[in-house]
Amino acid sequence: MLMQRRAFLVLGATAAVAACAERKWDDERVLNGARYVSNEPPSITLFTVIGIPRGEGGHSALMINGSQRVIYDPAGSWEHPRIPERNDVLYGITDNFKRFYIDYHARETYWVAEDTVFVRPEIAEAAIRAVEAQGASPKSFCAVNTGKALSRVPGFEGAPTGFSPLKLRNWFLTLPGVQSKRHQDGDPDNNHDVLLRQKDGSIEGYQNGRLIRTAAQ
């Protein structure tokens, strides 16, 4: 049975490349209300946004599944009114919001690598604490701060902390037991009826499996 798909409309940026993130600190009550606990095993996932056709790295982010599932999106531009944030850590990442996040970055000029390592529960919790302690990131520091946060997690101490998302991904792929997925625009299996309102007022995304683009009004 196919999972029910939902359409979302959200304010977004016009590119998948990292933008300067605002410092945000949502209330504890809001965070607790959005909290999502997945029944999947504890894990750390590295998302890497990669350019087409040149293969340049555009963005790095982490998804951590522990006592709750969060996304650490340093200097990222994805947002949704139902997703609270504290300094680049996004809470309440249900399966649908995970797909939403991926679809936001996967487009004609970028694909998304999803690389996952399954870890012990205490390692997942250490990763959540590490990204929460990292703080908001300035523009272009997505790979730098993703690497810094990872380097404070047991077993991930060797993470590079430079500006290259590709270098960070290449290191991550050397970890034991990595499982990888590729998400690319135009693949019906990876499009989940997500519509994004861009800053110029135009709307872009998928609805009923079809790519939708409308000009700004």
Side-chain angles (χ1 to χ4, degrees):
M1 179 177 176
L2 294 177
M3 182 176 294
Q4 181 180 4
R5 296 179 174 181
R6 299 177 182 177
F8 293 95
L9 189 64
V10 67
L11 295 177
T14 57
V17 181
C20 184
E22 297 179 3
R23 296 181 181 275
K24 296 183 179 180
W25 193 264
D26 282 326
D27 184 77
E28 188 77 24
R29 178 183 56 83
V30 177
L31 265 62
N32 290 336
R35 183 187 183 96
Y36 173 73
V37 180
S38 170
N39 59 7
E40 295 178 354
S43 62
I44 297 175
T45 295
L46 176 67
F47 289 126
T48 309
V49 182
I50 301 174
I52 301 171
R54 293 182 298 170
E56 72 278 12
H59 189 49
S60 296
L62 291 174
M63 183 175 69
I64 306 164
N65 187 43
S67 59
Q68 62 178 315
R69 188 158 68 187
V70 305
I71 286 180
Y72 175 55
D73 192 33
S77 56
W78 184 81
E79 61 181 5
H80 189 278
R82 286 172 51 194
I83 295 296
E85 176 184 345
R86 281 190 174 180
N87 286 347
D88 295 337
V89 182
L90 309 172
Y91 297 84
I93 305 301
T94 65
D95 292 342
N96 240 359
F97 281 121
K98 171 191 171 183
R99 292 192 293 267
F100 193 173
Y101 180 86
I102 292 170
D103 280 334
Y104 173 74
H105 293 89
R107 53 188 64 202
E108 291 180 354
T109 52
Y110 291 94
W111 65 279
V112 178
E114 178 186 351
D115 302 307
T116 299
V117 174
F118 294 102
V119 297
R120 300 191 306 274
E122 62 268 25
I123 301 301
E125 292 311 301
I128 292 175
R129 290 193 298 270
V131 298
E132 288 178 332
Q134 187 60 46
S137 302
K139 183 178 179 180
S140 302
F141 273 67
C142 58
V144 172
N145 286 352
T146 298
K148 284 183 178 180
L150 275 175
S151 69
R152 297 196 297 272
V153 179
F156 296 80
E157 294 91 345
T161 57
F163 285 89
S164 172
L166 293 181
K167 183 177 180 180
L168 179 59
R169 183 186 184 226
N170 288 339
W171 171 83
F172 198 90
L173 289 174
T174 67
L175 297 173
V178 177
Q179 297 186 11
S180 299
K181 296 180 182 179
R182 179 186 179 111
H183 303 274
Q184 187 164 342
D185 189 53
D187 182 348
D189 292 333
N190 291 329
N191 298 323
H192 302 276
D193 289 355
V194 173
L195 295 176
L196 301 172
R197 185 182 298 278
Q198 312 297 337
K199 285 185 176 179
D200 65 0
S202 64
I203 295 175
E204 177 179 338
Y206 284 86
Q207 195 167 46
N208 299 322
R210 296 179 59 188
L211 179 64
I212 304 296
R213 288 196 183 96
T214 61
Q217 300 297 320

